[in-house]
Amino acid sequence: MCGICGQLNFSRNDPVDPETIRRMAHTMFHRGPDDEGYFFDGALGLGFRRLSIIDLSGGHQPMSDAEESVWIVFNGEIYNFKELRVELESRGHKFRTNSDTEVIIHGYKQWGNDVFNHLNGMFGVAIWDVKKKKLVVARDPMGIKLIYYKLADGKLSFGSEIRPVAAAENSKPEVNPDALNLFLRFRYTPSPLTIFQGIKKLAAGMMLVVENGAVREERWYNFSPEPFSETISDADATEQLFELYRGAVKRHLLADVPVGILLSGGLDSGLLLALMNEHGRKWPAYTIGYGQSFVDDELVDAAETSSLLGARHHQVRLGQDEFEKALPDIVSHLEEPVASSSIVPMYFVCQRARQDVKVVLIGQGPDETIGGYKRHLGVHYGERWRSLPKVIQSFASSIISKLPRNETLKRGVQSLGFADRLERYQNVFSLQPAETVNGLFRDTNGRFPTLVEYIRPLESQMAQLDELGGFQMLEIRSSLPDELLMYADKLSMAHGLEARVPYLDRTVVEFAQRLDSHFKIRRGERKWLHRRVCEKFLPRQILKRKKRGFAVNVVDAWFQSSAKGKFNDVLLDNSSLMFQLLNPTPVKKLLDDHQSRRQDNHKLLFSLVMFEQWLRGIGLQS
């Protein structure tokens, strides 16, 4: 796990400035405190910061083959590298280290750009083909690792974070209003946009290829799920998913440094710990909570899970003062505003874990792949709603629209009425209708983009999937990598901690995408198949627990109790930087409606606070 960066003057082939590459790499010291390295070849420069996890003595980068015909900088882990090494050695390739990095080098020599289809892992990688003067920069299929880049004046600058890309030029970019609009609608900025004008991020499963003086962006990961042709029995599906989980956890435990787990009180991390116990005992487990006054607190549940499964449990307690004080630092590490209420607890629990371990496993994934969110119920049963007579739909909608503080239900009913599949999906994701968000902007004459514009290329890949399967593909390709995995990567690496996601192992995700929706939701029960696997391993005390949120109610409560606090000061202060782009009047109305309990606007209000914190932290003015 590391930080990579580089620059290529592909148009004029001017020699790259070594000091620029060093400056870019130094911005990512936190990602790689163990080592650094550089490679220069005329118009190309590569930089690297290392956090040593595998082959501690032999994994120095940039790395090349013996002939120095291929050079690489690589951030991530390849979990099937040992199997690939055996295959490549059988084809005559000679290895000099025991690292997974070298497998990518020889894999590229054997298969070219198709090497990525042979890899099972998480990666942001840049490969320089010396003979062809060709650069390939790629992001893993699930988007667990990040690649940012900028194209300007015949020059490509890229990195694992935004910082090195911005450091390539000693100037601060401006806010991208289109990206801001999407952020306020969805709580994250979808690829390829970032909040910065001119800086982009590779979408999951995409690559940049630079050769012959030109740059092209291609999707290398083209998996189009085909539903299983024959009906799988419940027992067979359960057994297959169980074995895939088991194999994924075994692969993700591969490390030459201490490993732990971020443990909630729920099923996903509980099953993860149980599967880890097949390869050891007394794993260090880390949980964050808010005290007994909040219904979302998970410390008691997680402590019971740790006791039942024999882990060494470490608790972190977070209060409102710490929450508010930590926001500026956390926003700085995120680089872009992300309005997930889980960012603060994630930051603190990773900070604690790093005191003991260098790697943690996290339970992200089953909600997206096996149908664990409330919105999945609406999507799954939406066809029944659309089949109702229009008069009944209209009557029910009018009643629901009058309910106070039921924005999720209102939005869901409105969303499910769209005829276009991607339009439905987009509106299920939205925090607020487009007209509400558009109305926050001072300049309302321009046309703001929609999420559909960026996800339309995925439509062909979801062609054979049912309604829920198509929606989940969108989650896996958009909200999961660009929001949840983005902040997990940055907030763990802020402390030099590697976070691994076994449930997003390629084998698991591709199997889940081929399942019919009745394996995911059955008789109103979410994550149906995942729960059947959990029953194989988990005690009844864990199985019967209700799902808890990870800070949503806490944040809302803190908003309500902070009527005169920092959060609301930001929203009521006309001198707040956000009001250079946004109109204070509709923002204040959102706050007033929320505090009077006419509407539940805490998600959009939190997004606005995060945007202001971000503006103040980076000193940007539009």
Side-chain angles (χ1 to χ4, degrees):
M1 186 68 68
C2 312
I4 68 170
C5 63
Q7 190 174 81
L8 176 61
N9 297 320
F10 61 87
S11 180
R12 296 186 298 272
N13 289 316
D14 296 334
V16 72
D17 176 20
E19 286 306 310
T20 297
I21 306 302
R22 292 189 175 91
R23 185 171 66 246
M24 294 169 71
H26 287 167
T27 66
M28 300 183 294
F29 179 85
H30 55 284
R31 295 190 71 94
D34 297 333
D35 191 16
E36 68 177 330
Y38 302 93
F39 170 73
F40 302 98
D41 184 10
L44 173 85
L46 300 175
F48 176 73
R49 296 293 322 188
R50 186 185 186 198
L51 179 68
S52 304
I53 302 294
I54 293 176
D55 191 12
L56 305 186
S57 62
H60 178 77
Q61 295 184 41
M63 184 182 290
S64 74
D65 59 342
E67 299 78 22
E68 297 190 347
S69 65
V70 174
W71 286 84
I72 186 174
V73 283
F74 159 58
N75 168 36
E77 305 290 351
I78 306 302
Y79 301 118
N80 64 334
F81 82 95
K82 291 185 176 181
E83 297 89 334
L84 287 176
R85 176 174 178 145
V86 170
E87 179 180 354
L88 289 164
E89 284 178 331
S90 71
R91 295 171 179 261
H93 293 266
K94 305 296 183 183
F95 286 79
R96 299 184 292 171
T97 74
N98 294 315
S99 73
D100 52 350
T101 307
E102 192 176 7
V103 167
I104 305 176
I105 293 173
H106 290 282
Y108 173 80
K109 294 179 71 173
Q110 181 66 42
W111 299 301
N113 293 356
D114 195 49
V115 60
F116 306 121
N117 283 304
H118 293 260
L119 306 178
N120 184 354
M122 55 181 184
F123 54 85
V125 60
I127 301 172
W128 176 242
D129 189 319
V130 175
K131 296 177 182 177
K132 295 181 179 179
K133 298 298 179 185
K134 169 183 169 184
L135 179 68
V136 183
V137 183
R139 187 179 181 188
D140 67 75
M142 306 311 154
I144 303 170
K145 297 290 104 183
L146 291 141
I147 290 288
Y148 293 95
Y149 69 96
K150 182 174 184 177
L151 286 166
D153 302 322
K155 180 187 304 179
L156 168 67
S157 304
F158 66 90
S160 299
E161 295 186 350
I162 293 174
R163 284 183 186 85
V165 179
E169 305 173 6
N170 286 315
S171 62
K172 290 183 177 179
E174 297 181 347
V175 174
N176 182 342
D178 289 348
L180 173 60
N181 184 279
L182 290 170
F183 162 69
L184 293 176
R185 283 196 70 185
F186 303 107
R187 298 195 302 178
Y188 71 97
T189 307
S191 298
L193 299 179
T194 73
I195 198 71
F196 290 103
Q197 194 79 261
I199 296 179
K200 296 184 176 182
K201 58 178 172 278
L202 273 182
M206 297 290 288
M207 65 180 175
L208 294 171
V209 181
V210 190
E211 60 181 339
N212 301 322
V215 182
R216 66 181 187 273
E217 187 171 347
E218 297 179 4
R219 178 169 296 282
W220 68 263
Y221 183 64
N222 291 298
F223 178 68
S224 298
E226 295 183 14
F228 290 104
S229 57
E230 297 180 3
T231 301
I232 305 176
S233 69
D234 292 348
D236 285 347
T238 303
E239 185 63 25
Q240 288 186 49
L241 183 60
F242 164 62
E243 290 298 335
L244 289 171
Y245 282 167
R246 175 184 258 171
V249 170
K250 180 180 180 180
R251 286 190 289 273
H252 282 66
L253 285 172
L254 181 66
D256 297 327
V257 294
V259 179
I261 179 174
L262 301 189
L263 186 71
S264 72
L267 293 180
D268 301 345
S269 62
L271 176 61
L272 191 55
L273 177 57
L275 291 168
M276 291 170 68
N277 280 343
E278 293 191 326
H279 309 281
R281 298 290 293 183
K282 296 190 178 299
W283 297 98
Y286 304 89
T287 307
I288 193 160
Y290 313 93
Q292 296 180 359
S293 60
F294 293 110
V295 295
D296 274 344
D297 190 84
E298 296 191 299
L299 290 177
V300 174
D301 287 349
E304 183 183 39
T305 298
S306 293
S307 177
L308 290 167
L309 298 178
R312 290 179 282 127
H313 193 222
H314 305 276
Q315 298 184 352
V316 181
R317 294 185 182 274
L318 178 64
Q320 182 174 349
D321 287 343
E322 292 171 293
F323 178 92
E324 293 182 351
K325 289 176 183 177
L327 266 182
D329 272 350
I330 294 170
V331 171
S332 174
H333 285 295
L334 290 173
E335 302 184 295
E336 298 188 80
V338 173
S340 169
S341 50
S342 300
I343 57 175
V344 177
M346 184 72 179
Y347 177 83
F348 280 100
V349 77
C350 287
Q351 182 182 64
R352 174 61 186 89
R354 184 60 180 88
Q355 295 176 24
D356 307 321
V357 300
K358 256 188 173 181
V359 175
V360 290
L361 271 56
I362 60 177
Q364 189 74 53
D367 283 329
E368 288 80 10
T369 58
I370 313 290
Y373 293 124
K374 289 181 181 178
R375 61 179 177 252
H376 292 148
L377 292 173
V379 172
H380 180 60
Y381 295 114
E383 190 60 41
R384 298 184 185 181
W385 168 264
R386 287 187 291 278
S387 67
L388 292 173
K390 294 296 183 184
V391 64
I392 296 179
Q393 290 187 34
S394 179
F395 177 71
S397 297
S398 66
I399 293 176
I400 292 171
S401 67
K402 293 180 174 62
L403 295 174
R405 295 182 66 82
N406 277 273
E407 270 51 56
T408 300
L409 179 59
K410 296 174 189 175
R411 203 166 56 248
V413 169
Q414 181 191 45
S415 302
L416 296 176
F418 283 86
D420 180 81
R421 188 180 200 180
L422 296 187
E423 290 281 351
R424 284 199 301 276
Y425 294 167
Q426 171 186 252
N427 284 279
V428 170
F429 270 124
S430 298
L431 300 183
Q432 295 280 357
E435 55 269 22
T436 299
V437 174
N438 294 349
L440 298 176
F441 284 74
R442 287 186 177 275
D443 181 7
T444 58
N445 295 323
R447 176 190 172 275
F448 289 110
T450 65
L451 182 62
V452 171
E453 295 174 39
Y454 300 104
I455 61 177
R456 186 68 71 183
L458 295 172
E459 195 167 25
S460 62
Q461 293 188 28
M462 61 178 72
Q464 299 186 62
L465 298 178
D466 57 30
E467 181 76 359
L468 179 58
F471 182 78
Q472 289 179 294
M473 173 174 278
L474 174 57
E475 290 178 305
I476 292 167
R477 297 284 192 273
S478 184
S479 65
L480 182 61
D482 291 339
E483 179 191 6
L484 303 177
L485 295 176
M486 185 274 258
Y487 76 69
D489 172 73
K490 290 187 178 178
L491 297 180
S492 59
M493 290 304 293
H495 305 292
L497 180 73
E498 174 177 308
R500 297 182 178 179
V501 199
Y503 291 128
L504 294 180
D505 188 273
R506 187 169 169 175
T507 61
V508 173
V509 175
E510 292 179 357
F511 174 81
Q513 287 188 292
R514 298 185 64 194
L515 290 171
D516 184 84
S517 60
H518 83 279
F519 282 111
K520 302 169 184 178
I521 295 176
R522 193 174 296 187
R523 293 182 292 277
E525 181 183 18
R526 289 171 279 157
K527 286 198 291 194
W528 185 88
L529 186 62
H530 180 72
R531 291 176 182 276
R532 303 293 81 76
V533 175
C534 290
E535 289 171 353
K536 285 177 168 286
F537 261 88
L538 297 181
R540 185 172 178 273
Q541 297 98 307
I542 300 176
L543 292 169
K544 68 180 182 181
R545 289 179 193 151
K546 292 183 178 180
K547 181 180 177 66
R548 299 183 190 269
F550 189 50
V552 175
N553 290 345
V554 177
V555 172
D556 194 20
W558 285 344
F559 257 115
Q560 291 293 331
S561 67
S562 298
K564 296 181 180 179
K566 295 179 181 178
F567 283 172
N568 294 338
D569 286 347
V570 164
L571 300 171
L572 295 172
D573 185 356
N574 285 345
S575 65
S576 290
L577 296 176
M578 74 173 88
F579 294 129
Q580 296 178 29
L581 285 167
L582 305 178
N583 187 336
T585 302
V587 170
K588 292 173 183 177
K589 186 177 187 305
L590 284 174
L591 180 61
D592 182 61
D593 288 345
H594 181 75
Q595 291 179 330
S596 66
R597 306 193 69 82
R598 287 190 297 269
Q599 291 182 330
D600 180 3
N601 294 325
H602 84 270
K603 291 182 179 180
L604 183 51
L605 291 171
F606 188 61
S607 298
L608 289 164
V609 171
M610 289 299 293
F611 177 56
E612 178 66 21
Q613 291 282 0
W614 176 79
L615 282 172
R616 295 181 182 187
I618 64 170
L620 260 186
Q621 297 188 17
S622 299

